[in-house]
Amino acid sequence: MEMVLLTALGVGGATVIGAVIGFLFKNISHKFSDIVLAFAAGVMLAAAVLGLILPSVEYGGNFGLLITVAGIFVGAICLNLIDKVVPHMHKMVGADIEKHDSNANLSKVLLFVTAIAIHNLPEGIAAGVSFGSDNVSEALIIAGGIALQNIPEGMVIIGPMLAAGISPKRTFLCALATGLVEVVGTLLGYFAVTIASAILPFALAFAGGTMLYVISDEMIPETHAHGSERGATYALLVGFCVMLVSDVLLG
């Protein structure tokens, strides 16, 4: 349990570390933002496939493939529903703000925090669920990969929030809150599979599906929106290979 708690704090703390770096480099260019986010997407993609989806098939027994496919789609659909129901807005570096119908009555700060939380919660759940497999080294690799990609994500959210008129203090508190969301998600995922180990295959696939949804729906479109899609594509491949090498050498 102590290791899970430390991992949860590390995953959440990585976002805060990235935010601190973001304060030091407020004017991040589109190209740099696209590259680091694409790298993060590659890390997430590898973590989802190698650390969650494939183990789901393995632990699912005779119905492993069916359970995994169902879990992936249920995870993606759940995140899609959250995205539609919860009022929020996205604004990465220089991007247009994505607004939903209920946004008018909510403050900018709450909308930013909600958007980032929707993104971060499934990552925390994925880190926690991975500990249910009893393969500690694999779980730590997944958590490390998620923490690694949280650093550039934390970096690129600072500039837009400051540009939107949010004070530095409140911006940092927002970053801290998003990190805490990942801590909560990690603990939720861990306790869910600990209480009912039979749901582990489905839970692994569910977490993998949520991560695939975030990558496809948000991260890849964002990194290909400013003319740096070639560099972003290679950065994604680098991130994927970094996780692949780590999984093979340390798993």
Side-chain angles (χ1 to χ4, degrees):
M1 180 59 196
E2 289 183 4
M3 182 174 293
V4 176
L5 182 58
L6 289 174
T7 300
L9 293 174
V11 169
T15 300
V16 180
I17 293 173
V20 172
I21 298 174
F23 274 109
L24 299 177
F25 304 96
K26 298 182 182 68
N27 298 318
I28 298 176
S29 68
H30 278 314
K31 184 174 183 179
F32 180 78
S33 171
D34 291 343
I35 294 299
V36 296
L37 284 177
F39 174 83
V43 171
M44 280 185 66
L45 180 60
V49 175
L50 301 176
L52 297 169
I53 293 173
L54 292 181
S56 171
V57 177
E58 179 183 347
Y59 290 118
N62 294 333
F63 299 99
L65 190 57
L66 180 61
I67 292 172
T68 299
V69 171
I72 290 172
F73 275 95
V74 172
I77 291 169
C78 284
L79 208 58
N80 183 37
L81 291 175
I82 292 173
D83 188 62
K84 288 181 178 296
V85 172
V86 180
H88 68 283
M89 66 182 177
H90 299 296
K91 189 177 188 301
M92 302 309 290
V93 180
D96 294 331
I97 295 176
E98 173 195 337
K99 295 187 177 181
H100 293 252
D101 294 338
S102 304
N103 284 357
N105 297 324
L106 296 175
S107 70
K108 290 179 182 179
V109 176
L110 179 58
L111 295 175
F112 272 119
V113 172
T114 305
I116 300 165
I118 291 173
H119 187 149
N120 285 359
L121 182 62
E123 295 176 8
I125 292 174
V129 166
S130 63
F131 276 95
S133 66
D134 292 328
N135 188 337
V136 176
S137 61
E138 183 74 32
L140 290 176
I141 291 172
I142 294 172
I146 293 172
L148 179 64
Q149 63 91 29
N150 279 345
I151 294 175
E153 283 187 355
M155 290 171 56
V156 301
I157 64 174
I158 297 301
M161 294 177 76
L162 294 175
I166 301 172
S167 69
K169 180 179 179 180
R170 296 183 77 184
T171 297
F172 180 76
L173 289 177
C174 287
L176 181 61
T178 61
L180 290 176
V181 167
E182 295 217 32
V183 174
V184 172
T186 301
L187 296 177
L188 284 175
Y190 173 72
F191 285 122
V193 296
T194 301
I195 293 172
S197 58
I199 70 169
L200 177 61
F202 182 83
L204 288 169
F206 179 93
T210 61
M211 292 177 71
L212 291 179
Y213 179 89
V214 169
I215 294 165
S216 179
D217 185 64
E218 294 185 16
M219 300 183 76
I220 292 178
E222 173 65 30
T223 60
H224 284 62
H226 313 117
S228 302
E229 56 270 14
R230 184 64 56 84
T233 297
Y234 281 108
L236 184 147
L237 294 175
V238 170
F240 186 93
C241 289
V242 166
M243 279 297 292
L244 176 62
V245 172
S246 300
D247 185 72
V248 171
L249 295 181
L250 303 177

